[in-house]
Amino acid sequence: MRPSRVFRWIVRAFLLVFTLSLSAVSILGGWSAVTILNPEGNDINIPDGPIIVTPNIGNSSIVISVPFNITNGGVYELSNIILGFQLDMTFGNTSAGNADTTVRIIDKFKPYGNVLPGQILKANFNGSGILPLAEVDWTRTPHDLEFYASLIFSASYSLNLYTFTVGIINVSLGYYDN
């Protein structure tokens, strides 16, 4: 056999082993990521209990606390975890002819680092904001103020091969009547 033919066979064998190993890592990582995102597995619970909203109308402020629980039941590290929370308030705007106006009170994104395999991240996401009450129509029907929340969860998995974002958008948190 000529040396060039032997060299080609060695390169082909290397590429085959390299391709098979990358395929195995991708398939196992994807399967493990799917098991983490399984809705019946309860691995990612946002919120993990009641969302506590404390409006202080006298001080025109609001404080919110969202408990969450993230369990990494996979084989790889769950990394680059970012939790975002947005709080919108809808009200009748007296300076706009009592037209409904929606303003963003809280727009906060917070990184939580990494969760190793088999570990649990249990914490509270806290945020606060200022309520623009100077232009509120306090006779608006059906409610004076209405609050809507959006939760955004983002993370990477399987050696950062998979990055995903899950969002719960415009969930009603309740209302306030004067």
Side-chain angles (χ1 to χ4, degrees), residues 53-106:
V53 180
T54 311
N56 188 337
I57 301 302
N59 288 336
S60 298
S61 65
I62 190 166
V63 177
I64 193 156
S65 179
V66 181
F68 67 93
N69 178 0
I70 299 170
T71 302
N72 185 354
V75 295
Y76 295 108
E77 180 178 55
L78 191 60
S79 57
N80 303 324
I81 297 172
I82 298 174
L83 186 63
F85 183 80
Q86 297 168 331
L87 180 67
D88 296 334
M89 180 180 82
T90 301
F91 61 97
N93 192 340
T94 56
S95 62
N98 293 339
D100 280 357
T101 302
T102 300
V103 294
R104 180 142 298 155
I105 305 299
I106 299 172

Side-chain angles (χ1 to χ4, degrees), residues 39-53:
E40 296 174 5
N42 290 324
D43 288 336
I44 298 175
N45 297 313
I46 303 172
D48 187 32
I51 297 175
I52 300 168
V53 180

Side-chain angles (χ1 to χ4, degrees), residues 8-176:
R8 280 190 301 220
W9 278 103
I10 291 171
V11 169
R12 288 178 184 164
F14 171 76
L15 288 175
L16 177 66
V17 169
F18 183 70
T19 304
L20 289 174
S21 65
L22 285 179
S23 297
V25 166
S26 296
I27 290 169
L28 292 174
W31 181 63
S32 185
V34 167
T35 60
I36 285 179
L37 295 175
N38 179 6
E40 296 174 5
N42 290 324
D43 288 336
I44 298 175
N45 297 313
I46 303 172
D48 187 32
I51 297 175
I52 300 168
V53 180
T54 311
N56 188 337
I57 301 302
N59 288 336
S60 298
S61 65
I62 190 166
V63 177
I64 193 156
S65 179
V66 181
F68 67 93
N69 178 0
I70 299 170
T71 302
N72 185 354
V75 295
Y76 295 108
E77 180 178 55
L78 191 60
S79 57
N80 303 324
I81 297 172
I82 298 174
L83 186 63
F85 183 80
Q86 297 168 331
L87 180 67
D88 296 334
M89 180 180 82
T90 301
F91 61 97
N93 192 340
T94 56
S95 62
N98 293 339
D100 280 357
T101 302
T102 300
V103 294
R104 180 142 298 155
I105 305 299
I106 299 172
D107 190 8
K108 183 177 178 182
F109 288 81
K110 183 176 178 188
Y112 282 93
N114 306 332
V115 178
L116 296 173
Q119 298 295 313
I120 297 172
L121 171 63
K122 190 171 182 75
N124 286 326
F125 182 87
N126 299 310
S128 62
I130 302 299
L131 300 173
L133 299 179
E135 301 173 342
V136 171
D137 174 15
W138 295 105
T139 62
R140 178 179 177 260
T141 58
H143 305 291
D144 297 338
L145 307 174
E146 297 174 2
F147 297 98
Y148 299 93
S150 297
L151 292 165
I152 296 102
F153 171 72
S154 175
S156 297
Y157 190 73
S158 184
L159 307 173
N160 293 332
L161 291 175
Y162 302 100
T163 299
F164 55 90
T165 301
V166 179
I168 303 170
I169 309 298
N170 287 336
V171 175
S172 176
L173 283 185
Y175 57 88
Y176 177 82

